[in-house]
Amino acid sequence: MAQDATKPIVERYLEDFVVGQTFTSGRARVTQQEIQAFAAEFDPQPFHVDPEAAAKSHFGGLCASGWHTGAACMRQLIERRMALRDAMLAQGLTPPAMGSSPGFTDLVWHKPVYAGDTVSFASTLVSKRPSASRPRWGLIFSRNMGTNQKGELVYSFVGSVFIERRPS
Amino acid sequence: MAQDATKPIVERYLEDFVVGQTFTSGRARVTQQEIQAFAAEFDPQPFHVDPEAAAKSHFGGLCASGWHTGAACMRQLIERRMALRDAMLAQGLTPPAMGSSPGFTDLVWHKPVYAGDTVSFASTLVSKRPSASRPRWGLIFSRNMGTNQKGELVYSFVGSVFIERRPS
């Protein structure tokens, strides 16, 4: 993901994040082979590993484990964060430390992700606040969404992540 | 997972599930190699892929992507469901269809899962109800928990899954 090094970095500290802002974070094509490999290791239900059984199931075709879709979304979110870090470093800025996530809520598998589907990810900032327990940190809450090539929402959840506060 | 074919099958239809009941569903040892392979594909943050960077991070050591822990838990849950199916087939019973999951909520990463940790999974039935939209089906809601070898809760969420109702 190429970054324009002359573009100002907007999301550096908790104070820089704007509630309501949405960013898109790449897209992932999920192949039959990837679906079967992930499912064989982590979620070997017939509709995730066996195309014939999947065709006869209520899904009507081979589709990704929800955990696979979630992991593919994580990949896109992390790539964006890493690209932002690289852009800061290219401008001689010190990137803030990467925070961990305490968890998330309201995860919904809206539609199956079928073999060959392409899922685009986007993230809308829902709220933010200083951390009660960690003075150097704040928390942001984002609604993360995956949409397939037909424009159908396939996946959403509200994630939280620790973000450094601007040094005073 | 060996099943005693003479043991009665208790969880067949929605009506058979008892709120408050807890079952354990196996354990997974998460190795450094597995952590790095999963993270390289889905969550390439330094503390998931690079032992030296992880040692310097707030985690203090290489630890699994949360999505990896979640997927490992899914594997344990599915193995248990499949063992129940096999036990029903061995008794000449027709297993109910396997339902999909509409999603889950309240996921918390309580503690890091470090390389070499062993996580045991358990699941407590929180509530159940008939589906409003699908008359043949009900929904069960379970609090799923992962606990490490020190007895520390590392991971929990409340998952939901469609379960067939007893044919009338």
Side-chain angles (χ1 to χ4, degrees):
Chain A
M1 196 190 294
Q3 288 280 331
D4 179 355
T6 64
K7 202 178 148 194
I9 304 296
V10 290
E11 295 163 17
R12 196 171 168 199
Y13 295 109
L14 179 70
E15 291 76 4
D16 302 326
F17 285 79
V18 177
V19 171
Q21 209 164 38
T22 294
F23 65 80
T24 54
S25 52
R27 65 183 59 204
R29 182 163 175 272
V30 186
T31 68
Q32 177 175 329
Q33 197 182 0
E34 287 167 347
I35 287 172
Q36 290 172 310
F38 187 99
E41 191 168 356
F42 295 115
D43 192 356
Q45 297 186 79
F47 36 72
H48 298 321
V49 289
D50 177 352
E52 276 187 44
K56 288 180 202 153
S57 77
H58 56 289
F59 291 123
L62 195 81
C63 57
S65 166
W67 293 95
H68 189 179
T69 304
C73 174
M74 187 67 192
R75 171 72 191 224
Q76 302 298 325
L77 294 171
I78 293 302
E79 280 191 2
R80 181 173 183 277
R81 277 169 75 180
M82 290 188 155
L84 283 174
R85 276 179 75 81
D86 290 347
M88 286 183 209
L89 290 169
Q91 292 187 36
L93 300 170
T94 305
M98 278 174 128
S100 57
S101 166
F104 57 81
T105 192
D106 296 332
L107 188 145
V108 181
W109 318 116
H110 298 275
K111 294 260 182 190
V113 173
Y114 291 106
D117 277 1
T118 299
V119 183
S120 304
F121 295 99
S123 185
T124 299
L125 191 66
V126 176
S127 64
K128 64 173 188 173
R129 62 172 172 80
S131 164
S133 55
R134 301 168 69 186
R136 207 184 112 199
W137 296 85
L139 280 162
I140 61 169
F141 299 84
S142 303
R143 181 169 154 83
N144 301 306
M145 294 155 285
T147 305
N148 68 17
Q149 68 280 5
K150 297 180 195 166
E152 297 167 331
L153 186 66
V154 294
Y155 167 70
S156 65
F157 70 101
V158 177
S160 57
V161 66
F162 280 105
I163 301 286
E164 270 199 306
R165 299 179 69 178
R166 190 181 303 284
S168 51
Chain B
M1 196 190 294
Q3 288 282 331
D4 178 356
T6 63
K7 202 179 150 191
I9 305 296
V10 289
E11 297 162 16
R12 195 172 168 198
Y13 295 108
L14 180 70
E15 291 75 6
D16 302 325
F17 285 79
V18 177
V19 171
Q21 209 162 38
T22 294
F23 65 81
T24 55
S25 51
R27 64 184 60 205
R29 183 163 175 272
V30 185
T31 67
Q32 176 175 328
Q33 197 182 2
E34 287 166 348
I35 286 174
Q36 290 172 310
F38 188 99
E41 191 168 355
F42 295 115
D43 192 356
Q45 298 186 78
F47 36 71
H48 298 321
V49 290
D50 177 352
E52 275 188 44
K56 289 179 201 154
S57 76
H58 57 289
F59 289 124
L62 194 81
C63 57
S65 166
W67 293 95
H68 189 178
T69 304
C73 174
M74 187 68 190
R75 171 72 191 224
Q76 301 298 326
L77 294 172
I78 294 302
E79 279 192 1
R80 181 174 183 277
R81 278 168 75 180
M82 289 187 154
L84 283 175
R85 276 179 73 81
D86 290 348
M88 285 183 211
L89 291 168
Q91 291 188 36
L93 299 170
T94 305
M98 277 176 130
S100 56
S101 167
F104 56 82
T105 192
D106 296 333
L107 188 145
V108 181
W109 317 116
H110 299 273
K111 295 261 182 188
V113 173
Y114 292 106
D117 277 0
T118 299
V119 183
S120 304
F121 296 98
S123 185
T124 299
L125 192 67
V126 175
S127 64
K128 64 173 190 173
R129 63 172 172 79
S131 164
S133 56
R134 301 169 68 186
R136 207 185 111 198
W137 296 83
L139 279 162
I140 62 168
F141 300 85
S142 303
R143 180 168 155 83
N144 301 306
M145 295 155 285
T147 304
N148 68 17
Q149 70 279 4
K150 298 179 195 166
E152 297 167 331
L153 186 66
V154 294
Y155 166 70
S156 65
F157 70 102
V158 177
S160 57
V161 66
F162 280 105
I163 301 285
E164 271 198 306
R165 298 178 69 178
R166 190 182 302 283
S168 51

